[in-house]
Amino acid sequence: MSHQMCAYPSASEGAAVAGTISGGRERGLVVHKLLEEVLTGEIAAAADALEIRSRVLLAQLGVSEAARPEDGPHAPELAATALRALAIPEIAACRSRLVPELTVFSAQADDDRTTYVGGVADALAYLPLGMIELVIDWKTDVSPSAHQIELYREQMGDYLAATGAPEGLLVFVTTGQLVRVRPAYKPAANAA
């Protein structure tokens, strides 16, 4: 699998943003849900609407909104994170073709065993004839380790194999960084 890192904003700006945010499971759930609802058209991609929806989602999770993003989930920060993700040029370019939250499955037989892959892709971009062009995986980590990013690359490789897509994007929504992932090259069995 090949990969390439891109950054929007600059890595130093992304680090500054991440340094002022307290991450966590609830933050990730809310950001994912905001992105899903924007892509389905359930909510407008507007800061005020996303802030209000963030507060509703936090309440549904039984989480009190923090007064500041460095103290926990904070509605203005959650809304800004979703909007930042949608503004990344690669996402903006295919946004109208993104379908969120799709289950993907595959099975590959090799000799005496079969490997099954199943999961939920955060978003898929379809071409006009129905072929999948791109797999998107939103990542809400505030500061992921190199090891964690490698695990995410492997997961994306599984999604690419399951969908047949030629490319995947790990989108680190907190910093705006992207990791491009392409499928692993497998030569044909009869290749010389």
Side-chain angles (χ1 to χ4, degrees):
M1 207 175 341
S2 67
H3 56 274
Q4 175 184 356
M5 186 81 124
C6 301
Y8 304 100
S10 72
S12 61
E13 290 170 329
V17 168
T20 63
I21 296 171
S22 176
R25 179 180 178 275
E26 292 83 6
R27 178 179 178 271
L29 290 170
V30 171
V31 170
H32 274 81
K33 188 65 173 163
L34 293 176
L35 290 166
E36 174 189 347
E37 291 181 3
V38 167
L39 293 177
T40 61
E42 294 173 70
I43 192 164
D48 56 346
L50 292 171
E51 283 184 36
I52 292 166
R53 184 64 178 142
S54 294
R55 289 185 180 101
V56 169
L57 293 169
L58 288 171
Q60 289 174 350
L61 291 169
V63 175
S64 297
E65 180 183 1
R68 304 174 316 160
E70 52 269 26
D71 296 331
H74 179 67
E77 184 277 323
L78 296 167
T81 296
L83 291 171
R84 186 171 43 254
L86 295 167
I88 294 170
E90 289 84 348
I91 302 303
C94 66
R95 182 172 155 193
S96 66
R97 297 181 292 112
L98 288 177
V99 178
E101 299 296 316
L102 292 173
T103 303
V104 296
F105 293 104
S106 70
Q108 183 175 8
D110 291 319
D111 299 324
D112 295 339
R113 61 182 243 198
T114 301
T115 302
Y116 297 93
V117 172
V120 178
D122 289 333
L124 301 177
Y126 283 88
L127 292 171
L129 295 177
M131 294 184 61
I132 299 169
E133 175 187 32
L134 182 67
V135 178
I136 304 287
D137 199 1
W138 311 117
K139 297 299 180 189
T140 58
D141 307 53
V142 172
S143 182
S145 67
H147 175 71
Q148 187 61 54
I149 292 171
E150 190 55 40
L151 292 175
Y152 291 151
R153 285 183 182 126
E154 291 174 18
Q155 176 189 20
M156 179 60 77
D158 290 341
Y159 286 173
L160 294 176
T163 62
E167 183 175 40
L169 291 178
L170 299 173
V171 181
F172 290 90
V173 299
T174 303
T175 62
Q177 293 178 315
L178 299 178
V179 175
R180 292 181 181 281
V181 182
R182 300 212 193 303
Y185 174 72
K186 293 184 179 182
N190 60 357

